[in-house]
Amino acid sequence: MSSSSSASEAWASAQSWAQKCKGKHLPPNPPLQHNRLTRSPSCRTIIGVDRIESRLKLASELGATHTIDGSKLGDKTLVEAIREVADGIGPTIAVDTTGAPPLIKAGIEAIRNKGRYIQVGSAPFDFQCEFNMFTFMVAGKSVQGAIEGEAYPAEFVPQMIKWYREGRFPIDKLTKFMPAEDFEQALKEMHDGTTIKPILCWS
């Protein structure tokens, strides 16, 4: 599964909300373009979800405290698996970078009461997300769309450069530059998990 969001968008959204989640749970929701977060001291639990083992391994390397393989859930649903890790009641915040309808629905359902769901990935244009409004209302949940990481570029780009220099924004592990004529190979590597974000270059 791939995401149409950029590394900086996912990173900015997660870092922003991590500061509002001190001592709580932040699950980069499926699959997170594989934990484009490094471990934030504000979060005691970070859950990475994917179906590709190499990406889950990278998620752990970049700070995920737990990973869930969506292809090996057994009799559990994804929602049940996420809640099991997060105190049995779900995470405080879920960030989806995939735009995949089943994962969007699972993310909204999985968060705990008064939890916040943040949509970073672009869903299909014709996708309509439906849920029971009464259940949603009494749970006190919030759903938010995030554009460009909810960040002010003039301030946040220098901040990301600073994080990169400090080793806190490992974009080198998330991207791979490839000649434009190798676009088919780039697609293959993106889908099989070999490369997280291929970047095509024209000479």
Side-chain angles (χ1 to χ4, degrees), residues 65-82:
T65 58
H66 301 75
T67 58
I68 296 173
D69 188 333
S71 68
K72 300 177 180 178
L73 295 175
D75 295 332
K76 297 179 184 177
T77 65
L78 180 57
V79 171
E80 291 170 340
I82 293 173

Side-chain angles (χ1 to χ4, degrees), residues 12-116:
S13 295
Q15 289 294 325
S16 173
W17 288 105
Q19 298 306 313
K20 303 177 183 181
C21 176
K22 288 185 179 293
K24 301 179 181 179
H25 302 274
L26 175 68
N29 204 6
L32 275 203
Q33 206 68 5
H34 310 291
N35 229 328
R36 280 185 167 154
L37 308 174
T38 53
R39 180 72 179 274
S40 168
S42 305
C43 307
R44 59 186 171 90
T45 305
I46 299 177
I47 308 167
V49 185
D50 208 300
R51 293 183 176 182
I52 300 175
E53 185 176 350
S54 62
R55 293 184 177 187
L56 292 172
K57 181 180 178 181
L58 180 58
S60 295
E61 292 175 1
L62 298 184
T65 58
H66 301 75
T67 58
I68 296 173
D69 188 333
S71 68
K72 300 177 180 178
L73 295 175
D75 295 332
K76 297 179 184 177
T77 65
L78 180 57
V79 171
E80 291 170 340
I82 293 173
R83 285 179 174 170
E84 186 177 87
V85 175
D87 299 334
I89 56 176
T92 306
I93 297 174
V95 182
D96 176 75
T97 66
T98 71
L103 302 182
I104 292 172
K105 293 177 180 179
I108 294 173
E109 183 179 351
I111 56 175
R112 64 181 61 191
N113 288 359
K114 294 192 176 181
R116 183 179 296 274

Side-chain angles (χ1 to χ4, degrees), residues 138-154:
V138 297
K141 297 181 180 182
S142 300
V143 175
Q144 175 183 336
I147 302 298
E148 299 299 330
E150 295 294 294
Y152 177 53

Side-chain angles (χ1 to χ4, degrees), residues 149-203:
E150 295 294 294
Y152 177 53
E155 295 178 355
F156 204 73
V157 171
Q159 180 66 68
M160 286 192 292
I161 293 173
K162 180 174 181 290
W163 282 335
Y164 176 77
R165 290 173 174 169
E166 294 172 348
R168 297 174 57 199
F169 185 17
I171 194 170
D172 295 336
K173 292 185 177 181
L174 306 171
T175 58
K176 180 179 179 180
F177 292 93
M178 305 178 71
E181 57 267 26
D182 292 343
F183 74 93
E184 291 185 349
Q185 180 65 25
L187 284 173
K188 177 181 180 298
E189 291 187 13
M190 184 173 64
H191 288 297
D192 67 20
T194 304
T195 299
I196 304 303
K197 178 69 72 171
I199 299 175
L200 299 180
C201 302
W202 281 259
S203 57

